[in-house]
Amino acid sequence: MSDIEEPIVDETSVQEEQVEDEPEFAGVNQSATEIKLFGKWSFAEIEVADISLADYIACKGDHATYLPHTAGRYQMKRFRKASCPIVERLACCLMKKGRNSGKKIMATRIVQHTLEIIHLLTDQNPIQIVVDAVINSGPREDSTRVGGAGVVRRQAVDMSPFRRVNYALYLLATGAREASFRNLKTMAECLAEELINAARGSSNSYAIKKKDEIERVSKSNR
């Protein structure tokens, strides 16, 4: 028994094999841990072109989510909804009118179908289209009522970045809702069309038309 030699294992070759295997697994882990909306759309390359709205359009870093349904308590404190992911805010805006209130699963499904349609039509990341649409749809100037005791006039005022984002989401959702009402086109198709036109700055978009009208009225009241 003592004459039988045990096979000698070369430790250096084993270590080299382990080192060669590591990069492959590292790449897999990195892609697996990247957060993608609905498991498809990446937040990594999203750019907010308007620097003034960068703090109010939540689409990067901690605001990247798998679903537009975080169940966060964004109404508990003023301005907290600025940290709500922008796609979730769009979904919440679709729950308007009494019969739709609280139906967030339905709104989430509509948003998912909308993003699919946008990708098919534009071949771009649909999250970027949503961000561009919000940037283009927010009025930069509005008019308010000034005076009292019967003498009332309109005065042009600048609109804050936060209100620009809020107003843009409202106009986009309203335009899509009105387009799909009593129409064969689905809500997702109308919302996709509205977002694409708004992202391009086209006057076919309800939101862009309303924004131009608001800015025109306020310009006459300066």
Side-chain angles (χ1 to χ4, degrees), residues 4-222:
I4 300 173
E5 294 182 358
E6 294 182 1
I8 299 171
V9 179
D10 189 359
E11 294 181 359
T12 56
S13 63
V14 173
Q15 289 176 353
E16 286 175 0
E17 289 176 6
Q18 290 176 349
V19 170
E20 288 175 3
D21 291 344
E22 281 176 4
E24 183 182 348
F25 290 113
V28 170
N29 290 335
Q30 188 177 2
S31 62
T33 55
E34 184 184 2
I35 296 175
K36 293 184 177 180
L37 186 66
F38 296 114
K40 287 188 175 184
W41 320 117
S42 173
F43 290 90
E45 298 174 359
I46 303 301
E47 292 182 0
V48 181
D50 193 331
I51 194 171
S52 65
L53 301 180
D55 293 336
Y56 299 99
I57 297 180
C59 59
K60 299 186 96 173
D62 296 338
H63 306 300
T65 55
Y66 292 105
L67 286 173
H69 197 320
T70 58
R73 305 198 302 168
Y74 297 109
Q75 298 296 329
M76 297 298 291
K77 199 171 183 182
R78 195 179 181 196
F79 299 122
R80 186 176 288 175
K81 65 182 180 182
S83 62
C84 179
I86 192 68
V87 181
E88 182 174 359
R89 293 196 65 189
L90 179 63
C92 291
C93 284
L94 298 179
M95 297 192 294
K96 292 286 176 67
K97 304 290 182 184
R99 63 182 181 176
N100 296 322
S101 61
K103 298 181 183 179
K104 193 159 187 180
I105 302 297
M106 183 182 74
T108 302
R109 194 184 69 247
I110 290 171
V111 168
Q112 184 177 8
H113 293 170
T114 299
L115 298 182
E116 295 280 3
I117 294 168
I118 290 173
H119 180 66
L120 289 172
L121 292 177
T122 64
D123 203 28
Q124 297 179 23
N125 188 337
I127 304 173
Q128 185 66 61
I129 298 291
V130 172
V131 170
D132 292 344
V134 170
I135 291 171
N136 291 342
S137 303
R140 289 159 294 190
E141 193 177 21
D142 201 355
S143 50
T144 184
R145 290 173 51 140
V146 173
V151 182
V152 177
R153 67 184 184 89
R154 308 279 287 182
Q155 174 64 44
V157 291
D158 293 334
M159 195 176 276
S160 72
F162 190 41
R163 182 167 165 80
R164 278 180 64 189
V165 174
N166 298 345
Y167 216 102
L169 290 167
Y170 164 77
L171 291 176
L172 290 167
T174 303
R177 187 183 305 110
E178 290 186 3
S180 65
F181 189 63
R182 292 185 180 174
N183 194 348
L184 288 174
K185 291 176 78 172
T186 64
M187 182 66 179
E189 290 171 338
C190 291
L191 183 58
E193 188 177 348
E194 178 71 26
L195 288 169
I196 291 170
N197 286 332
R200 291 173 178 163
S202 170
S203 59
N204 292 332
S205 164
Y206 172 91
I208 296 292
K209 277 191 287 193
K210 281 288 184 183
K211 172 204 168 186
D212 291 340
E213 181 186 340
I214 290 168
E215 290 183 346
R216 189 174 64 252
V217 169
S218 62
K219 187 175 181 180
S220 65
N221 290 323
R222 283 179 182 168

